[in-house]
Amino acid sequence: MGVAASIAYTDSQRETIVELIEQLEERHYAKLVYDDNLSSLHLDNYIDSLDGGKMFFTQADLADFERYRTVMDEDLHAGNLQAGFAIFNRFQQRLQDRLEGVVDTLEERVAAMDFALEEEYELDGEDRAWASSEEELDDRWRRHLKNQVLSLRLSEKEADDIVPTLEKRYRNQLKRIEQYNAQDVFQVYANALTELYDPHTNYLSPRRSENFNINMSLSLEGIGAVLQMEDEYTKVARLVAAGPADKQGDLQPSDRIVGVAQGEDGSFEDVIGWRLDEVVELIRGPKDSTVRLQVIPAKAPATDARKEITIVRNQVKLEEQSAQKHVLEVPEGDQTVKIGVIDIPAFYIDFEAMRRGDEDYKSTTRDVRKLLTELEDEGVEGIVIDLRHNGGGSLQEANELTGLFIEYGPTVQIRHSSRRVWRDGKRVRGPYYDGPLVVLINRLSASASEIFAGAIQDYQRGIIVGDRSFGKGTVQTMVPLTEGQLKLTESKFYRISGDSTQHRGVVPDVMFPSLFDPEEIGESALDHALNWDQINPVKHRRYGDIAAVVPELTRQFRERSVSNPDFVYLEEQVHLAEEARTVKALPLNEKARIAMREMQESKALAIENRRRAARGEELLTSLEDEFVEDDEDAEPEPDADADESEQPDVLLTEAGNILVDALLLRQQQFAQHSESGADEH
């Protein structure tokens, strides 16, 4: 076995860590002091960053690391990085020894595997105890390899290709170990500390600031996805609105990318265990070229489920992220009510054009103002603002946009780490759209979206419907250091009600079933996220009494959704995904594993067929039939109705229904007031 070269820290890293701690203690919103308590948490978090699956260190290693538990704070304040580098060098040696052992014996190990044995593979490494001996680690690795082989067998990999695939995977990982340098070590060690302050506070090293960066955007010439590392997988954190992946429609948040291929027929490169920046390099490429991704879908309970997705690379264009409008015709009795829908994928502003003095510069508010006028001219009776998947953008635009729906007043409060509070909003009384309003949000509506939705809710200006929003209510600033830079959470957003949007997000007035797992997606799913809290409210006008109509709107919505096959389908899919998440271990017996997969597929097929039966459509005999139908639908005949291939947007339709219900309730209340007024005379 080779001996890994010991990595040492540099003088500039000594200076950098002292500066970094100073900045954290003085400027971070959480006001945490790096003391013995934080030193102890830092040690645990660092070990977890290196070996979260508990596959390399033993209890003996952990006992040895105990000597660092309460001294790292004194050490780092003095620029002494010895503890972090000593632990890393031990990890690197363990990693190298283990992978060399696997590569050297892989063929005989695979040949000896018995898939008729009744045994299991534990899915979540965090649930495991640290191994008490090398023998226990050996057994852990035996099961880990057996699970990988079984996954490849069940994903229809040719038997002769399994050993070469795994061998290449582990040789690649070994090559990466040899490339580790002081910057890599320093970044992991520093981030194990910054993450304890909050998940959006990160240290970025100068040369490889992208390596471990959670907000890796491929929006320039790629697929338009934000990726992050999770264990040995590259996971989709979110999609860029109107980007190639978003438009293509198959890639979803929390999907794990396991293979990347170039062009229509290039062979797949296995990317399990790769570094994030290397996976990004494979996915990036020139405009109009094709990339194929092999993913484990987020909803799959086992790692042997595979889906292939073909995406044509492109740039995300500002005009394609612009607000769009259309009219929803909602049946009401024997009539239809016209509802205007404005879809806002991001809060954007063309600063360059604005600075140049271009009178037609693009911004969310300018575009929405124009669309509102056009929809009013078309005779709509209310407006739905669709903020689903809107991850935010310009805070200025969130404030300006709110100003289109209120006469004047503040829209957001910003509290600095100094505890000073600023207020922002519409300062001058001016015209505004005063018609009925619904705002549709989901778990991926974040930041500026939450400020807008929260203000509309606090002013009682409209009804918020959908799923609880993301809950990112913090503001970051970049701080240059001797080496690299620190992204630091310095302020926090608060609503005019005094409630923070942080952690809790915006809670809708009428709740829809959640399509996203709150354990996986959202601020509350992130470790060490800052808490929800309150400050003083701002005096503000209330435009309606939404609370009075919400119980009736919720009752009507529930009544409708029970008999709506699309809504029932949605709710059953949510339950199926929740069920899949309860699986803690996978059988390593091939028949049991196949039975588990078939059970999952039969449940999914039953859900699909219940929807089809309710709609009077032909039932499927397998889920493959559905994919064939989808392919046929993708290119309808020239004379076919183009809309027939599109699935109805059940959540948007329901938002329209709720707006119509609110309109009718308002009319009834108005009629009752008129009658009671007439009685008085």
Side-chain angles (χ1 to χ4, degrees), residues 378-423:
E378 289 176 49
V380 300
E381 296 191 44
I383 297 287
V384 173
I385 299 285
D386 188 350
L387 292 180
R388 287 174 298 171
H389 298 78
N390 182 325
S394 164
L395 170 63
Q396 175 188 324
E397 284 304 307
N399 288 322
E400 298 273 334
L401 187 71
T402 310
L404 296 184
F405 299 94
I406 60 169
E407 189 178 16
Y408 82 109
T411 49
V412 68
Q413 304 188 76
I414 303 164
R415 189 187 195 209
H416 188 261
S417 58
S418 64
R419 298 312 184 244
R420 189 181 157 205
V421 177
W422 286 267
R423 289 170 187 164

Side-chain angles (χ1 to χ4, degrees), residues 36-99:
D36 285 359
N37 178 47
L38 214 54
S39 170
S40 175
L41 294 172
H42 185 192
L43 177 66
D44 291 337
N45 199 38
Y46 183 46
I47 293 167
D48 188 54
S49 305
L50 296 174
D51 188 14
K54 301 187 175 112
M55 298 293 283
F56 300 100
F57 291 140
T58 62
Q59 287 177 13
D61 291 314
L62 271 287
D64 189 26
F65 300 153
E66 276 303 304
R67 60 197 156 120
Y68 302 125
R69 185 162 293 283
T70 57
V71 299
M72 281 163 34
D73 52 323
E74 287 93 346
D75 284 355
L76 292 188
H77 275 112
N80 177 355
L81 294 153
Q82 191 269 330
F85 277 72
I87 292 169
F88 190 92
N89 285 324
R90 175 90 54 93
F91 169 71
Q92 186 177 14
Q93 189 64 59
R94 294 272 185 276
L95 185 57
Q96 185 171 327
D97 291 349
R98 180 62 63 180
L99 295 187

Side-chain angles (χ1 to χ4, degrees), residues 107-239:
E107 202 159 345
E108 49 266 45
R109 282 183 190 228
V110 174
M113 286 176 184
D114 179 358
F115 294 102
L117 280 179
E118 297 291 337
E119 55 182 358
E120 288 186 324
Y121 174 69
E122 206 172 355
L123 277 172
D124 192 349
E126 287 185 14
D127 293 343
R128 300 180 188 132
W130 290 101
S132 59
S133 63
E134 282 297 321
E135 290 71 31
E136 195 177 335
L137 269 188
D138 290 344
D139 186 60
R140 220 165 256 189
W141 270 91
R142 182 186 66 77
R143 290 172 193 250
H144 178 69
L145 287 169
K146 192 172 181 181
N147 179 59
Q148 291 193 321
V149 173
L150 186 53
S151 289
L152 290 170
R153 277 166 71 116
L154 296 181
S155 62
E156 293 168 4
K157 192 80 164 170
E158 292 291 330
D160 291 347
D161 291 339
I162 289 176
V163 170
T165 297
L166 289 175
E167 195 172 305
K168 190 177 177 190
R169 184 181 295 174
Y170 287 116
R171 282 196 191 283
N172 274 330
Q173 289 183 26
L174 267 170
K175 198 170 75 185
R176 283 179 191 85
I177 294 166
E178 290 156 14
Q179 293 168 353
Y180 284 146
N181 61 28
Q183 276 189 12
D184 295 327
V185 183
F186 183 82
Q187 182 156 291
V188 184
Y189 192 35
N191 275 323
L193 172 60
T194 63
E195 285 164 6
L196 299 174
Y197 280 76
D198 88 305
H200 306 290
T201 295
N202 311 111
Y203 168 74
L204 306 173
S205 71
R207 200 153 46 87
R208 291 187 179 163
S209 63
E210 294 178 329
N211 281 3
F212 300 90
N213 182 7
I214 206 162
N215 285 326
M216 175 82 63
S217 174
L218 308 188
S219 59
L220 289 174
E221 282 197 348
I223 61 170
V226 177
L227 305 179
Q228 67 187 66
M229 285 309 293
E230 187 178 83
D231 302 325
E232 53 185 359
Y233 293 104
T234 300
K235 190 170 105 169
V236 179
R238 64 180 174 85
L239 301 177

Side-chain angles (χ1 to χ4, degrees), residues 123 253-256 295-307 520 573 576-583 586 596-597 600-601:
L123 277 172
S254 292
D255 282 357
R256 286 169 290 176
V295 306
I296 300 171
K299 290 175 183 171
T303 52
D304 32 76
R306 294 286 190 278
K307 183 176 176 182
E520 286 279 329
Q573 277 202 318
L576 189 63
E578 282 171 356
E579 210 175 273
R581 286 195 293 271
T582 62
V583 175
L586 296 176
M596 179 185 176
R597 188 167 75 175
Q600 195 75 9
E601 285 172 358

